[in-house]
Short mmCIF file of all heavy atoms in Angstrom, two decimals:
data_model
loop_
_atom_site.label_atom_id
_atom_site.label_comp_id
_atom_site.label_asym_id
_atom_site.label_seq_id
_atom_site.Cartn_x
_atom_site.Cartn_y
_atom_site.Cartn_z
N ASN A 32 171.83 200.33 -93.11
CA ASN A 32 172.10 201.22 -91.97
C ASN A 32 173.44 201.92 -92.05
O ASN A 32 174.01 202.33 -91.04
CB ASN A 32 172.02 200.42 -90.68
CG ASN A 32 170.81 200.82 -89.89
OD1 ASN A 32 170.30 201.92 -90.08
ND2 ASN A 32 170.35 199.96 -89.03
N GLU A 33 173.98 202.02 -93.23
CA GLU A 33 175.30 202.61 -93.46
C GLU A 33 175.35 204.06 -92.93
O GLU A 33 174.51 204.87 -93.30
CB GLU A 33 175.52 202.63 -94.98
CG GLU A 33 176.86 203.05 -95.42
CD GLU A 33 177.91 202.08 -94.97
OE1 GLU A 33 177.80 200.87 -95.24
OE2 GLU A 33 178.84 202.56 -94.31
N PRO A 34 176.32 204.38 -92.08
CA PRO A 34 176.40 205.77 -91.61
C PRO A 34 176.80 206.76 -92.71
O PRO A 34 176.45 207.92 -92.66
CB PRO A 34 177.48 205.73 -90.53
CG PRO A 34 177.80 204.31 -90.30
CD PRO A 34 177.30 203.52 -91.45
N GLY A 35 177.54 206.26 -93.71
CA GLY A 35 177.98 207.15 -94.78
C GLY A 35 176.98 207.17 -95.92
O GLY A 35 176.15 206.26 -96.05
N LEU A 36 177.06 208.18 -96.78
CA LEU A 36 176.21 208.19 -97.97
C LEU A 36 176.72 207.11 -98.92
O LEU A 36 177.91 206.82 -98.97
CB LEU A 36 176.30 209.55 -98.67
CG LEU A 36 175.73 210.76 -97.92
CD1 LEU A 36 175.68 211.97 -98.86
CD2 LEU A 36 174.36 210.48 -97.35
N LYS A 37 175.79 206.56 -99.72
CA LYS A 37 176.15 205.46 -100.62
C LYS A 37 177.28 205.90 -101.57
O LYS A 37 178.24 205.18 -101.78
CB LYS A 37 174.92 205.02 -101.40
CG LYS A 37 175.14 203.75 -102.16
CD LYS A 37 173.86 203.23 -102.78
CE LYS A 37 174.12 201.99 -103.61
NZ LYS A 37 175.17 202.12 -104.61
N VAL A 38 177.15 207.12 -102.11
CA VAL A 38 178.16 207.59 -103.06
C VAL A 38 179.55 207.66 -102.42
O VAL A 38 180.57 207.36 -103.05
CB VAL A 38 177.74 208.95 -103.70
CG1 VAL A 38 177.31 209.94 -102.67
CG2 VAL A 38 178.84 209.55 -104.53
N VAL A 39 179.58 207.98 -101.13
CA VAL A 39 180.86 208.07 -100.43
C VAL A 39 181.42 206.66 -100.24
O VAL A 39 182.59 206.38 -100.53
CB VAL A 39 180.69 208.77 -99.06
CG1 VAL A 39 182.00 208.78 -98.29
CG2 VAL A 39 180.17 210.19 -99.26
N LYS A 40 180.56 205.75 -99.79
CA LYS A 40 180.98 204.36 -99.58
C LYS A 40 181.47 203.74 -100.89
O LYS A 40 182.52 203.10 -100.93
CB LYS A 40 179.78 203.57 -99.01
CG LYS A 40 180.03 202.10 -98.78
CD LYS A 40 180.99 201.87 -97.64
CE LYS A 40 181.31 200.40 -97.45
NZ LYS A 40 180.27 199.68 -96.74
N ASP A 41 180.71 203.98 -101.97
CA ASP A 41 181.08 203.37 -103.25
C ASP A 41 182.43 203.87 -103.77
O ASP A 41 183.08 203.20 -104.56
CB ASP A 41 179.99 203.64 -104.31
CG ASP A 41 178.72 202.87 -104.00
OD1 ASP A 41 178.76 201.98 -103.13
OD2 ASP A 41 177.67 203.19 -104.59
N ASN A 42 182.83 205.06 -103.35
CA ASN A 42 184.09 205.61 -103.84
C ASN A 42 185.21 205.57 -102.81
O ASN A 42 186.27 206.15 -103.01
CB ASN A 42 183.87 207.06 -104.29
CG ASN A 42 183.04 207.12 -105.56
OD1 ASN A 42 183.54 206.82 -106.64
ND2 ASN A 42 181.77 207.47 -105.45
N TYR A 43 184.94 204.92 -101.70
CA TYR A 43 185.85 204.94 -100.56
C TYR A 43 187.22 204.34 -100.89
O TYR A 43 188.24 204.82 -100.43
CB TYR A 43 185.18 204.14 -99.44
CG TYR A 43 185.83 204.23 -98.09
CD1 TYR A 43 185.79 205.41 -97.36
CD2 TYR A 43 186.46 203.12 -97.52
CE1 TYR A 43 186.37 205.48 -96.11
CE2 TYR A 43 187.04 203.19 -96.27
CZ TYR A 43 186.99 204.37 -95.57
OH TYR A 43 187.57 204.45 -94.33
N GLY A 44 187.20 203.29 -101.71
CA GLY A 44 188.45 202.62 -102.05
C GLY A 44 188.38 201.15 -101.71
O GLY A 44 187.34 200.65 -101.30
N VAL A 45 189.48 200.46 -101.89
CA VAL A 45 189.52 199.03 -101.59
C VAL A 45 190.62 198.79 -100.57
O VAL A 45 191.79 199.11 -100.81
CB VAL A 45 189.83 198.20 -102.87
CG1 VAL A 45 189.76 196.71 -102.56
CG2 VAL A 45 188.86 198.56 -103.98
N PHE A 46 190.22 198.28 -99.41
CA PHE A 46 191.17 198.05 -98.32
C PHE A 46 191.29 196.55 -98.05
O PHE A 46 190.30 195.84 -98.14
CB PHE A 46 190.66 198.70 -97.02
CG PHE A 46 190.69 200.19 -97.00
CD1 PHE A 46 189.91 200.92 -97.89
CD2 PHE A 46 191.46 200.87 -96.08
CE1 PHE A 46 189.92 202.30 -97.86
CE2 PHE A 46 191.48 202.25 -96.05
CZ PHE A 46 190.70 202.97 -96.94
N PRO A 47 192.47 196.10 -97.65
CA PRO A 47 192.54 194.72 -97.18
C PRO A 47 192.04 194.65 -95.75
O PRO A 47 191.93 195.69 -95.08
CB PRO A 47 194.05 194.44 -97.22
CG PRO A 47 194.69 195.76 -97.00
CD PRO A 47 193.77 196.80 -97.56
N SER A 48 191.73 193.46 -95.27
CA SER A 48 191.33 193.33 -93.87
C SER A 48 192.58 193.22 -93.01
O SER A 48 193.26 192.19 -93.00
CB SER A 48 190.46 192.08 -93.66
OG SER A 48 190.31 191.88 -92.27
N LEU A 49 192.88 194.31 -92.31
CA LEU A 49 194.05 194.30 -91.43
C LEU A 49 193.85 193.25 -90.33
O LEU A 49 194.78 192.53 -89.97
CB LEU A 49 194.24 195.70 -90.84
CG LEU A 49 195.46 195.91 -89.96
CD1 LEU A 49 196.75 195.62 -90.71
CD2 LEU A 49 195.49 197.34 -89.40
N SER A 50 192.62 193.17 -89.82
CA SER A 50 192.34 192.20 -88.75
C SER A 50 192.72 190.80 -89.21
O SER A 50 193.42 190.06 -88.51
CB SER A 50 190.84 192.18 -88.41
OG SER A 50 190.34 193.45 -88.19
N LEU A 51 192.26 190.42 -90.43
CA LEU A 51 192.54 189.06 -90.90
C LEU A 51 194.00 188.87 -91.26
O LEU A 51 194.53 187.77 -91.15
CB LEU A 51 191.63 188.70 -92.09
CG LEU A 51 190.15 188.48 -91.75
CD1 LEU A 51 189.36 188.13 -93.00
CD2 LEU A 51 189.96 187.39 -90.70
N LEU A 52 194.66 189.94 -91.68
CA LEU A 52 196.11 189.81 -91.96
C LEU A 52 196.86 189.55 -90.65
O LEU A 52 197.85 188.82 -90.61
CB LEU A 52 196.64 191.06 -92.66
CG LEU A 52 196.16 191.26 -94.11
CD1 LEU A 52 196.63 192.60 -94.65
CD2 LEU A 52 196.64 190.13 -95.02
N TYR A 53 196.35 190.17 -89.56
CA TYR A 53 196.94 189.88 -88.24
C TYR A 53 196.71 188.42 -87.86
O TYR A 53 197.62 187.74 -87.34
CB TYR A 53 196.33 190.79 -87.15
CG TYR A 53 197.17 192.01 -86.87
CD1 TYR A 53 196.74 193.28 -87.22
CD2 TYR A 53 198.41 191.88 -86.24
CE1 TYR A 53 197.52 194.40 -86.98
CE2 TYR A 53 199.20 193.00 -85.99
CZ TYR A 53 198.75 194.25 -86.36
OH TYR A 53 199.54 195.35 -86.11
N VAL A 54 195.50 187.95 -88.12
CA VAL A 54 195.17 186.55 -87.80
C VAL A 54 196.09 185.62 -88.60
O VAL A 54 196.65 184.65 -88.08
CB VAL A 54 193.68 186.27 -88.10
CG1 VAL A 54 193.36 184.80 -87.92
CG2 VAL A 54 192.79 187.13 -87.19
N ALA A 55 196.27 185.97 -89.89
CA ALA A 55 197.14 185.16 -90.76
C ALA A 55 198.57 185.17 -90.22
O ALA A 55 199.24 184.12 -90.16
CB ALA A 55 197.10 185.70 -92.18
N GLY A 56 199.04 186.35 -89.81
CA GLY A 56 200.40 186.47 -89.28
C GLY A 56 200.56 185.61 -88.04
O GLY A 56 201.59 184.94 -87.83
N CYS A 57 199.53 185.62 -87.21
CA CYS A 57 199.57 184.87 -85.96
C CYS A 57 199.61 183.35 -86.25
O CYS A 57 200.41 182.62 -85.65
CB CYS A 57 198.33 185.26 -85.15
SG CYS A 57 198.18 184.48 -83.58
N ALA A 58 198.77 182.90 -87.20
CA ALA A 58 198.73 181.47 -87.52
C ALA A 58 200.05 181.03 -88.17
O ALA A 58 200.64 180.01 -87.79
CB ALA A 58 197.55 181.18 -88.45
N GLN A 59 200.53 181.83 -89.11
CA GLN A 59 201.80 181.48 -89.78
C GLN A 59 202.95 181.50 -88.78
O GLN A 59 203.83 180.66 -88.81
CB GLN A 59 202.11 182.49 -90.89
CG GLN A 59 201.29 182.27 -92.13
CD GLN A 59 201.83 183.07 -93.32
OE1 GLN A 59 201.65 182.66 -94.43
NE2 GLN A 59 202.48 184.17 -93.10
N GLY A 60 202.91 182.52 -87.92
CA GLY A 60 203.98 182.67 -86.93
C GLY A 60 204.09 181.44 -86.04
O GLY A 60 205.17 181.10 -85.56
N ALA A 61 202.95 180.78 -85.81
CA ALA A 61 202.97 179.57 -84.97
C ALA A 61 203.27 178.33 -85.80
O ALA A 61 203.24 177.21 -85.29
CB ALA A 61 201.63 179.43 -84.25
#
Side-chain angles (χ1 to χ4, degrees):
N32 250 337
E33 187 64 54
L36 294 190
K37 190 173 177 307
V38 49
V39 176
K40 178 70 183 281
D41 291 347
N42 289 286
Y43 190 69
V45 184
F46 290 63
S48 170
L49 183 60
S50 311
L51 289 180
L52 290 174
Y53 264 111
V54 173
C57 180
Q59 284 193 152

